[in-house]
Amino acid sequence: MDATESNICSSDGCGKPAKMHCPTCVKLGLPKSWFCAQDCFKANWNTHKAVHKLAAAPESSSVISDRHLAKFGGYRFTGPLRPHALGPRRVVPESVPKPDYAADGISRSELRDRGNSVPEINDAKSIQAMRETCRLGREVLDAAARAVRPGVTTDEIDRVVHDYCIEHGAYPSPLNYRNFPKSVCTSVNEVICHGIPDMRELEHGDIVNIDVTTFFKGHHGDLNETYFVGEVDAESKNLVKTAYESLMLAIDACRPGVMYRDLGNIITKHANQNGCSVVKSYTGHGVGRLFHTAPNIPHYSKNKAVGVMKPGHVFTIEPMINVGTWRDEIWPDDWTAVTADGQRSAQFEHTILITETGHEVLTARLESSPPLQWL
């Protein structure tokens, strides 16, 4: 193993200056994986060898050749989590109806909608389609939740989500949206959102957010939840519980005449009372025929969001709550958002319909949904 002083150890939770790299990666033509010492290399071997297996698999050669891991050379991570090798992109049969970005990653309908700040008033037909896609999205998320346990990779969770969607005639909305490579977002520990499923195995004590969106009958249904992997510490339990409660308190306020900007005050008050902060970079959004549209719904207090809730509006609320600072940064993969201080983040999301008298949670939990883990 060759020595160097200019890189950071790839072993999860280490972060020390690296002194050597894996010779097998070099032989296979893979980006160099750096380690601080033989002991760290050996301790990380069971995880790291998955990179070699992927390189040897014919179906993954295109994934390895895109040099995903090479993007992280020299990057100083904010926390202990590290990217792992990606599995191959999953295939959607021709028979499954697809959104307009499925082939090339470009949503032309969203481009035409750019600059619009007026939410759509959904008619009865559209509302029924939203009920169906959101119900399916809930079933998909529940199936993914049942796969969460130590030793399971987030790539396997991606498979569960993808297969469930395809079996039910739905398209997994994240797949190739703005060139996102997977069918679901999986955000572990300090990842705030948009985590890319990979070959890292979940570990006891992790938390993982699974963000599902289904495209079914021409409409997107969007939801997510954060789950414990085995037993987690008290701080993580408080974080996840606070994220869930923040969402539900905001939903309770939804009815005709409420200003969208007011939701941020409700969320921030509860988060702060529980020692947490609210991410400012990412918002809730309108959803339906388009994956993302008006209204824009910040989750932090004293925001400048425009608009008032009206019957027929459909949108997401999805507060991202952090243990430490609210600030974030993006990994070099241009997707994964992480906390700036490396501490943990949790999120929950529902799709909401405003009715004449209040609201309807279109992605509501079912009697068969896995129970909330802190209760």
Side-chain angles (χ1 to χ4, degrees), residues 89-143:
R89 182 175 298 191
R90 304 188 193 281
V91 177
V92 178
E94 289 295 327
S95 60
V96 174
K98 301 172 180 63
D100 62 355
Y101 55 81
D104 61 9
I106 301 172
S107 177
R108 289 161 181 81
S109 55
E110 288 192 8
L111 289 175
R112 291 191 295 270
D113 189 61
R114 182 178 292 176
N116 172 44
S117 61
V118 180
E120 178 182 1
I121 303 293
N122 288 269
D123 59 20
K125 183 177 180 181
S126 182
I127 289 172
Q128 181 57 32
M130 285 301 298
R131 288 191 176 111
E132 293 184 43
T133 190
C134 287
R135 167 64 184 243
L136 179 57
R138 165 52 63 184
E139 293 175 4
V140 173
L141 180 60
D142 289 351

Side-chain angles (χ1 to χ4, degrees), residues 92 132 137 169 177 222 285-286 307 309 349 358:
V92 178
E132 293 184 43
Y177 179 74
D222 197 0
H285 54 88
M309 297 178 193
E349 174 185 21

